[in-house]
Amino acid sequence: MKTLNEIEVTKKSEFKSTDTKMEFVNIFFAGKRYRVLKGLTILKALEFAGYRLVRGVGCRGGFCGACATVYRTDGDYRIKVGLACQTMIENNMYLAQLPFYPAIKAFYTVDEIKPSGDLFLRYYPEIMKCLQCNTCRKVCPQDLDVMRYIAAAQRGDVSRVADLSFDCLQCGLCASRCPAEIVHYHVAQLGRRSYSRFMQKPSTHLSKRIEEINSGKFNNEIESLIKLDRKELEIIYSQRDIEPEEEIAPKKDED
Amino acid sequence: MKLLYYPGCTLHTVAVQFDQSTKEICKQLDIELIEISDFTCCGGLYPQTTENLMQLQAPARILVQAQRTDPNLELMTLCTFCYNTLKRTHYTLKKDEQKRNILNDYLEEPYNAKVKIVHLIEVFRDDIGYDTIRKKSKRSLLKGFRVAPYYGCLLLRPMNEIELDDQEQPSILEDLLYAIGCDVIEFPYRFDCCGSFHVVNKPEIAEQCSKELLRYTEQFHANCLVTCCPLCYYNISRFGGTDFNFQIFYITQLVGLALGIEPIKLGLDPEIINKFISDSYLV
Amino acid sequence: MSYPELMIESIARVEETRSSRLKQIMPRITLEEKQILLENFHPDYKSESFRKLKIGPNRGDKVPHELADLLEARSRIEPKDFDLSRVDYETEVLVIGGGGAGTAAALTAQEQGIDVIIATKLRWGDSNTIMAQGGIQAADKENDSPVRHYIDLVGGGGFVNIPELARALVFDAPMIIRWLESLGVMFDKEPDGTMKTVHGGGTSRKRMHSCRDYTGMEIMRVLRDEARNRGIHVLDFSPAVEILLDESGKCAGAILYDLETEEYFIVKAKATIIATGGMGRLHVQGFPTTNHYGATADGLVLAYRVGAKLIFMDTVQYHPTGVAYPEQILGQLVTEKVRGMGAQLVNNEGFQFINELETRDIVSAAIIRECTDRNLGVVTPTGMVGVWLDTPMIDIKHGSGTTQRTLPAMVRQYMRYQIDITKQPILVYPTQHYQNGGILIDENAQCSIPGLFIAGEASGGVHGRNRLMGNSLLDILVFGRRAGKNAALYASTTKVNSLTLKHLEKFHQELIESGVGLERVSPMLLPDYSSHLSKIRRKGGVIIA
C-alpha cells in the first residue's frame, strides 16, 4: 500500500525524475521515524519530512558548519558524523543534530600572540591533557588531522597548526567528542592568527600602494574618469590591455 | 649512519638546547637524523596501572609512525620520559600478543612490534664506540671539569624492560664522560628524584627534592651536573637558582663542547662557559 | 555515484578536444555582441519575470516578482498595538546582520569608543561571506593601479556604477587588505610577503587575493574571533523585523524577533546599520542559488518601509558556474577561480563557446544560449541541463596536485559523490548568486534616512548592474568599515527622541490604497523548503488522491 507521502509526491511530481521510480527510506530523527525520499541529503530529508529548521542549517553548501550531525547506520555500532547538507541519508539511519556545543575561548589581542614554544599552553593549557585517542580526527567532517595539529600546538609549532587546521569550519564536533575536553577549533584559530600576523611577511607592495593613494597620486586620474560620459568610458574600457595568463607549456601528468 | 629521530614535545619547546646540541654533535659524528613528521606527545609517562591499555595508544602510534617512515632504521630519542615510555610500550606490545591485538584495533595502522628504540648515549656506546669519541674529543678542554652524572629515576628502570644498563651499578654515563675527558665524580645520589611532575601541582615538593640533590652535589665538590632528562633539567635549574655555584648540562652539550663545537651552537652562553671552564681549572 | 553513461559519452568528446583546446584561447567578444547576447539570453531581459512596484520610494520601477511580493507586503506586527515604551536594549550603534559586513562595521564602530550591538538572524558568521571562496580584489601590485581597478569595475558594471562609491571601493581596497593582514588573516603569499594574485572574470590585472579556497571563511573566522576578543555584544537568532524611527524622522533602532523564544525585543539605537545581505533565497525565476539560508532580502524590506530608495533592483547576478550535477548539491557554487586557473567551458560536443573569463552576465547568457537555443547542453538523468567545466585542465596547465592544493574544498565536495574533478570535468549551469543592486547609499554608507547606514550586499550602486568576482568581499569590508565609522561619528552627536512606528501605519495605508492589500507578510526571515505535503498539512487541508 502506498503511503500518503508517496501518493502526494508522485502526484505533484516535485522531482523531475521520470524514468526512475520513487523510492522511500526510513530515517529516525532524534529517535522518531520519518519516511522520506531516497537519495536526499540529511538536510533535505528533514525538510522533506516537514521541518523548517532554525538551528542546524546554514549555508547549505558545506562551509559554515552549522549543521553538524551525529548518526549511526543500520547494523553498525560506530558513531558517525557529517554535515547535514553534505551527507546522504541511508535506510534506517539514526541521527541527531548538534548545532551548538559549549566551548570556551581564550581572549587575547592579536599583538600579544607572538609565536613561541608556549603560545598555546598559555591560552589553552588543557591541550596537554590530549590522550591521542584520535577521536577528533575520526569525527572531523572536513577530514582534518585534528590530533596532529593539537600535537603541533603542544610542541609550539605554530605554522604547522595553521597549515593542518586551515580548512576547519569550526563546527565543534571535535570538541564534542574529546575526552580531554579540548576545544580544538579555538586552538587552531589562535594558531592561524599568530602565524599570519607574525610568521608571514607583510606585503611591501601593499604599503607602497597605500602611501601612493594617501599622497593623492591617483586622484586626478580618477576625477577625470568620473567626469567622462558613458561613450568615452566604453572606449577606454574596451581598449584597456589585459595582463596575459602565464604561458605555461602543457605539462604531462606524472601518472 | 641513519637514525629516525623522535624529539618529543619538550625538545622543540623548553629543552631546545638539548635538541640543538644533539643535532650539532650528530653532524660531527656523521649521524643523519630523520625526524618523524607530525609526531604527537608520547603521553609523558608509562601508565602505572596494569590494565590501562588505552594510554598506550599515544606511544604505540609513534612507534607505528616510525615503522611507516622506515622499518629498517632504529628510532632514536633523547628525553628520558619519551625513551622510557616508548621502550616500555614496545616491550609490553612485543611480549603480549593479546594486548597488541586489542590495541591495534584502536590504531589506524597496526604496530608490528619490530621497531628498535635507542637512546643517543646507547648509540655512542654500541655504534660509534668510546674509542672514536675519545679520538675526536679535545679532551684537554674539559679536564678538571668535575661532573656529577645524574641518571634520575627513569632512564634505566625497570631494567628488564629498558635494557640500557644495570639499574644499580650503571656506567654508561660515566664511561661517556670519561671518554670526553671530564673528571667524573662517583655520585651516590645519581638516582635520586628531582621531584618530577610534582612541580605542576605541588612545586614545594619538587623544590625540596631538587635542593637536596644540589646540596649533595656541592658536598661532592662537583661543579656541574649532567642529565638526559628535560624535566630534571627544568626542576634543578628552576630551584637551584643562585643558591648554588654550579651548572647543569644536557649530556649532549658536554659532548658537543668536547667535540669542539662553539658553545652558542649548543645552546650555551659562551661567556658563562669560558668563566666556568677557567673556574674549574682552579678547583 | 560518479557519472551516468550518457554523460560519460559526452566526457569522452571533451577529452578528445582537450589537447587542442589547451593551445586555444577564445577571443573576447565585442560590446555589441555582448549586448545582443544579453538581450536574448540573460534572465534580466525576460520582461514577464518583472513587475512595476505600486508603492514606496521606487514606485513605478520594475523588480523581480519574488522581490515585489515582499516589498509590497505588510509587517508582521500591528503598529497601532505595538508597545514601544518597553525598551529592552539601548545602544549607540545597532548592527543588523552578523556576516562580514556587519562584523566589520561593529569592529570599526567599537574602535571609535562607542557601544555596539550586533543582531543576527542565524548564528553569528553564518552568511554569504563564509561561502565566498574565490578571493578579494585590490589593486596593490606594481603593474596595477586603483585607476585600472576603477575601469574594470565600471566596465563590468555596465558603466552605471555610482562614481563616488566606485572611487571609495578602489581607493580603500589596499587599506582593507592591510587591515586584514594585521588582524592575522592567512593570505596566500610568496615567502617574501608578496601576495599571490590571479585573474577573475573581467579583471585586466591579476588582483585577486585569496586564502586557499576558503577566502571568505578565513576572513569571517578572523573578524569573528577579533570581535569575540573585544567582547562585542551579539544577539543571535534575533532577526530585525522592523526599523524604528523617532518623532523627528531619524532612524532610532529596530524591533527584533527571537526565532527561538518567539518574543519581540526593542533595541533603541542612535545609529543603525543594515548589513543583512542579499536575496538569493528568493529563487528569482525559479533559479537555484548559491546563497546562504538566510539570504531573504530582509534588509531591503525594512529599509523600503522607512522610505529608503533602492537602486538596480531589476538586475540579478547569476553565477555562470553553479553545480548542475549531482542533484544533491544542485545550484551550489563552483568558484570562478576554477576558470581563473584555466578550466574552460565546453559544450556537449566538446567545443568551447565563450572565453571563460568574460564577465559573469556574459558567461551566464552564453551558457543559457548553449543549453537552449543551440541545444548543445548536456542533459542529466533528472532533466537538468548544463555545460562542462573542464577542471582536469588545471593540473595539466599548472602541474599535478595544483587542484588539490588550491581548491581542496571543491575536490572534497565532489569526492563525496565519487567524482574526481582532477580527472573528470564537472557539469555547470547558471545559479542565482548576487543582488547587484540594493539600498542606495552615499560614500559614507548612509542612505536617505538620517541615522540609517547600509553595508554589504544589502546596499546598491557601487557595482552598477553587474558585480565582478572579488569585489563583494571587498565591498562588505570597505562599506562595512565606512558604515561603522560614520555611524559611530553620527551616534556621538545625535539624540534620539521618542520612538514611533507611524511610518509603518502609513505604509500599511498605502498598501490598502494602492489595491495591493494586507495579505502578504514580510520580511520572509527564513525560506520554507518543507515538502508540498507538509505545507498542506500545516494548513490542515489534507488532499488524498
Side-chain angles (χ1 to χ4, degrees), chain C residues 94 180 314:
Chain C
L94 168 67
L180 295 175
D314 55 339

Side-chain angles (χ1 to χ4, degrees), chain C residues 20-37:
Chain C
S20 59
R21 279 187 287 109
L22 272 166
K23 293 168 222 137
Q24 163 194 330
I25 296 169
M26 275 301 268
R28 302 218 179 189
I29 59 176
T30 64
L31 283 174
E32 293 74 41
E33 287 169 319
K34 283 181 184 173
Q35 198 51 38
I36 295 167
L37 185 60

Side-chain angles (χ1 to χ4, degrees), chain A residues 43-44 47 58-60, chain C residues 43-44 46 49-50 64-70 128 278-297 316-318 329-332 430-435 457 524 526-530 535:
Chain A
L43 176 63
K44 287 188 175 175
E47 289 175 339
C59 71
R60 308 174 73 98
Chain C
D44 280 357
K46 246 176 141 178
S49 301
F50 295 84
H65 290 300
E66 295 81 1
L67 178 63
D69 285 349
L70 297 179
N128 282 336
M279 62 171 188
R281 289 281 156 193
L282 303 190
H283 295 290
V284 168
Q285 299 187 35
F287 271 89
T289 184
T290 59
N291 279 197
H292 189 269
Y293 189 50
T296 52
V316 171
Q317 182 171 90
Y318 299 87
I329 50 172
L330 182 71
Q332 286 178 21
T431 177
Q432 188 186 348
H433 188 55
Y434 192 78
Q435 164 191 301
E457 193 173 347
M524 179 191 276
L526 292 175
D528 184 359
Y529 292 123
S530 51
K535 287 179 185 131

Side-chain angles (χ1 to χ4, degrees), chain B residues 62-253:
Chain B
I62 292 161
L63 297 173
V64 167
Q65 222 174 325
Q67 125 198 333
R68 191 193 317 139
T69 311
D70 191 333
N72 301 315
L73 294 184
E74 294 173 351
L75 175 66
M76 188 277 282
T77 189
L78 292 161
C79 164
T80 308
F81 281 88
C82 299
Y83 179 66
N84 186 281
T85 309
L86 291 180
K87 274 221 126 160
R88 297 190 68 185
T89 304
H90 171 76
Y91 178 83
T92 305
L93 296 179
K94 188 174 176 167
K95 205 185 67 170
D96 192 333
E97 197 183 339
Q98 197 188 348
K99 279 187 178 169
R100 184 166 81 233
N101 290 340
I102 293 172
L103 194 66
N104 278 344
D105 277 347
Y106 288 87
L107 297 176
E108 297 70 33
E109 193 180 324
Y111 178 49
N112 61 17
K114 286 184 184 151
V115 173
K116 187 177 179 208
I117 302 121
V118 294
H119 197 286
L120 189 62
I121 55 172
E122 207 173 345
V123 175
F124 289 159
R125 184 188 63 191
D126 302 341
D127 299 303
I128 309 283
Y130 295 137
D131 278 348
T132 314
I133 290 176
R134 189 175 291 114
K135 274 178 213 150
K136 292 199 173 189
S137 296
K138 293 181 187 165
R139 301 186 72 241
S140 58
L141 194 71
L142 296 179
K143 201 170 155 40
F145 233 59
R146 291 178 56 80
V147 184
Y150 177 55
Y151 287 86
C153 325
L154 289 171
L155 189 62
L156 305 172
R157 297 185 279 207
M159 190 168 80
N160 62 326
E161 296 183 27
I162 303 293
E163 296 178 304
L164 178 63
D165 203 350
D166 190 289
Q167 66 185 17
E168 301 298 336
Q169 293 296 328
S171 65
I172 186 164
L173 275 179
E174 284 85 346
D175 292 345
L176 179 58
L177 291 167
Y178 279 126
I180 60 172
C182 300
D183 281 5
V184 186
I185 288 167
E186 268 193 45
F187 190 48
Y189 301 99
R190 55 190 173 164
F191 309 119
D192 275 22
C193 181
C194 68
S196 192
F197 279 127
H198 280 304
V199 72
V200 181
N201 289 334
K202 296 199 164 150
E204 63 279 8
I205 295 179
E207 182 169 9
Q208 194 191 339
C209 292
S210 296
K211 285 195 165 154
E212 217 152 279
L213 187 68
L214 289 170
R215 267 194 288 279
Y216 297 136
T217 316
E218 223 170 28
Q219 281 170 17
F220 279 81
H221 304 293
N223 46 24
C224 71
L225 196 71
V226 66
T227 179
C228 296
C229 177
L231 187 55
C232 297
Y233 185 100
Y234 174 82
N235 280 346
I236 292 167
S237 42
R238 172 168 167 182
F239 299 115
T242 49
D243 298 356
F244 299 92
N245 179 29
F246 86 104
Q247 188 76 22
I248 180 160
F249 291 108
Y250 286 116
I251 180 73
T252 48
Q253 293 179 306

Side-chain angles (χ1 to χ4, degrees), chain A residues 14 50 55 60 64 105 108 142 163 168 170 193 197 201 203 223 240-241 243 246 248, chain C residues 123 148 152 167 182 189 193 199 206 212 214 221 224-226 229 260 332 397 532 538:
Chain A
E14 290 192 353
R55 286 198 189 248
R60 308 174 73 98
C64 74
K105 196 193 106 61
Y108 45 81
Q142 293 288 86
D163 184 43
C168 170
Q170 311 191 322
R193 289 190 72 185
R197 178 77 168 79
K201 290 214 174 98
S203 295
E223 295 318 314
R240 79 205 200 286
D241 66 309
E243 180 178 5
E246 276 111 277
I248 305 155
Chain C
R123 288 190 322 173
R148 289 195 154 275
D152 289 345
R167 177 179 57 195
S182 71
K189 287 184 180 181
H199 267 306
K206 293 178 189 165
R212 304 192 190 174
Y214 283 114
R221 283 189 305 215
R224 183 173 51 197
D225 191 58
E226 182 64 14
N229 284 341
E260 297 186 307
Q332 286 178 21
K397 281 190 174 178
H532 178 69
R538 223 172 267 138

Side-chain angles (χ1 to χ4, degrees), chain C residues 112-315:
Chain C
Q112 309 293 317
I114 58 136
D115 279 347
V116 190
I117 289 179
I118 296 178
T120 174
K121 178 160 65 181
L122 294 163
R123 288 190 322 173
W124 182 16
D126 288 359
S127 57
N128 282 336
T129 301
I130 50 159
M131 303 180 74
Q133 302 169 50
I136 176 165
Q137 283 201 39
D140 56 14
K141 288 283 180 80
E142 191 74 43
N143 68 349
D144 201 358
S145 84
V147 180
R148 289 195 154 275
H149 191 175
Y150 184 93
I151 294 167
D152 289 345
L153 172 67
V154 296
F159 306 100
V160 292
N161 314 49
I162 294 174
E164 293 73 22
L165 299 181
R167 177 179 57 195
L169 192 80
V170 300
F171 272 175
D172 282 8
M175 191 196 76
I176 289 295
I177 303 290
R178 169 56 30 102
W179 182 58
L180 295 175
E181 198 185 45
S182 71
L183 287 174
V185 168
M186 201 165 140
F187 282 110
D188 297 338
K189 287 184 180 181
E190 303 292 350
D192 71 351
T194 305
M195 294 279 179
K196 289 186 186 171
T197 51
V198 295
H199 267 306
T203 55
S204 65
R205 287 290 181 271
K206 293 178 189 165
R207 71 169 77 91
M208 198 69 60
H209 302 58
S210 55
C211 313
R212 304 192 190 174
D213 63 346
Y214 283 114
T215 310
M217 183 172 73
E218 167 62 359
I219 292 173
M220 188 70 239
R221 283 189 305 215
V222 170
L223 294 183
R224 183 173 51 197
D225 191 58
E226 182 64 14
R228 279 181 179 146
N229 284 341
R230 295 199 205 161
I232 288 176
H233 189 178
V234 177
L235 304 167
D236 51 3
F237 295 94
S238 300
V241 293
E242 225 54 72
I243 295 288
L244 293 165
L245 297 183
D246 76 357
E247 296 288 357
S248 64
K250 295 197 299 283
C251 184
I255 300 173
L256 310 182
Y257 176 68
D258 187 319
L259 289 173
E260 297 186 307
T261 62
E262 301 182 352
E263 296 162 287
Y264 290 100
F265 288 88
I266 295 168
V267 184
K268 190 173 175 182
K270 290 179 180 168
T272 302
I273 299 170
I274 289 181
T276 50
M279 62 171 188
R281 289 281 156 193
L282 303 190
H283 295 290
V284 168
Q285 299 187 35
F287 271 89
T289 184
T290 59
N291 279 197
H292 189 269
Y293 189 50
T296 52
D298 298 359
L300 299 188
V301 171
L302 303 190
Y304 199 67
R305 279 181 193 157
V306 293
K309 195 168 162 58
L310 309 180
I311 185 170
F312 303 137
M313 288 316 300
D314 55 339
T315 158

